[in-house]
Amino acid sequence: MTEKILTIIEKGDYRIPFQLFKNYKSFELTEKDLIFLIYFINEEKTFNPKKMCSILGCTQVELLEEIDLLSSKGVLKLKLTDTQPKEEVIILDSLYKKLVTSITQFDSPSNEEEKKTIYDLFEQEFSRTLSPIEYELIGGWLEAGYSEEMISLALKEAVYNGATRLTYIDKILYEWKKKGIKNKADYEKDKMHFQNNKREIKPKKELLDYDWLNEKCE
């Protein structure tokens, strides 16, 4: 089966999240688990046993056993949709959450419950669950070297401007990087500079020294 998957990858453009490739063993996943997850990440999420078995080169029993195993390891769920007609779909939200958490490890595990990950902060501000693509984009920022502090500031800036889109936040981070803004102090300095430039100093108009009240009408 491994050879079949490798052939598929060679022929097509299969995306493999770096954090998954790097940390799959720490997630207690095997190479076989990794192969199945790579397939589920890249292919349609609708559960189609016949098609899946054809591509993965396994029996339906093996497929169901692997899905069961991945579910028990907390990286995958098989769920019925709410729409009609009902379909079974592969849900990978828990996997993406693990990937984000693997990037945003805290120094004090004992205080983990009291702290929020950058992922939790986005969900709180957006008042909704992030999509798998949004998980990956946030993780991509962290991998690119943006600190959680800067991502958090960019998020607040976007929310303040009423633009709760990750593309907008991505643009903010890009512009800050070009300006050399790397921390909160740089951000505050740039903001102050912008406000000072925006503030126009208008000259006061001089009042004429004229006694209007006692003016005599001719």
Side-chain angles (χ1 to χ4, degrees), residues 34-212:
L34 181 61
I35 289 170
F36 273 86
L37 285 173
I38 291 170
Y39 171 79
F40 293 140
I41 288 169
N42 287 275
E43 294 293 337
E44 60 178 306
K45 302 302 182 288
T46 302
F47 183 57
N48 186 333
K50 188 175 180 180
K51 179 183 175 182
M52 289 178 176
C53 290
S54 172
I55 295 174
L56 290 166
C58 64
T59 66
Q60 289 197 21
V61 172
E62 289 172 334
L63 174 65
L64 292 172
E65 285 178 348
E66 182 61 29
I67 288 176
D68 237 14
L69 184 61
L70 292 173
S71 179
S72 68
K73 291 181 179 181
V75 294
L76 175 150
K77 288 181 182 177
L78 191 58
K79 184 180 178 182
L80 271 176
T81 60
D82 296 327
T83 56
Q84 295 294 340
K86 289 187 178 294
E87 294 180 313
E88 283 188 302
V89 291
I90 300 288
I91 304 295
L92 297 171
D93 288 6
S94 51
L95 171 63
Y96 289 111
K97 193 168 184 177
K98 275 181 177 286
L99 296 179
V100 172
T101 303
S102 71
I103 302 171
T104 58
Q105 293 289 337
F106 291 116
D107 295 331
S108 305
S110 59
N111 295 329
E112 189 170 347
E113 291 184 1
E114 298 175 10
K115 298 180 180 179
K116 288 184 180 295
T117 64
I118 194 70
Y119 162 84
D120 294 324
L121 186 60
F122 271 84
E123 289 200 328
Q124 178 181 314
E125 292 291 348
F126 289 2
S127 299
R128 61 175 176 80
T129 301
L130 297 177
S131 70
I133 293 175
E134 288 172 324
Y135 283 130
E136 285 198 52
L137 185 52
I138 294 170
W141 291 335
L142 294 165
E143 287 183 6
Y146 293 110
S147 67
E148 289 188 36
E149 179 185 47
M150 292 309 299
I151 295 173
S152 174
L153 286 171
L155 170 62
K156 289 178 181 178
E157 186 82 12
V159 171
Y160 177 79
N161 288 295
T164 54
R165 301 186 307 277
L166 293 196
T167 50
Y168 184 83
I169 296 170
D170 188 61
K171 187 175 180 181
I172 291 174
L173 290 170
Y174 175 74
E175 291 298 327
W176 285 351
K177 186 176 182 179
K178 284 203 305 183
K179 290 182 178 181
I181 300 173
K182 298 178 180 179
N183 51 47
K184 190 174 182 179
D186 292 340
Y187 164 75
E188 295 290 352
K189 185 178 179 181
D190 181 76
K191 191 173 183 180
M192 183 68 69
H193 180 69
F194 175 77
Q195 289 175 345
N196 288 338
N197 286 341
K198 190 177 179 182
R199 193 181 296 119
E200 294 181 3
I201 302 174
K202 297 180 179 180
K204 294 180 180 179
K205 294 180 179 179
E206 294 182 4
L207 296 176
L208 296 175
D209 186 14
Y210 191 90
D211 190 356
W212 294 95

Side-chain angles (χ1 to χ4, degrees), residues 22-44:
K22 179 183 176 182
N23 296 301
Y24 76 93
K25 287 185 178 178
S26 66
F27 296 162
E28 298 184 354
L29 299 172
T30 65
E31 284 79 4
K32 182 181 177 182
D33 297 335
L34 181 61
I35 289 170
F36 273 86
L37 285 173
I38 291 170
Y39 171 79
F40 293 140
I41 288 169
N42 287 275
E43 294 293 337
E44 60 178 306

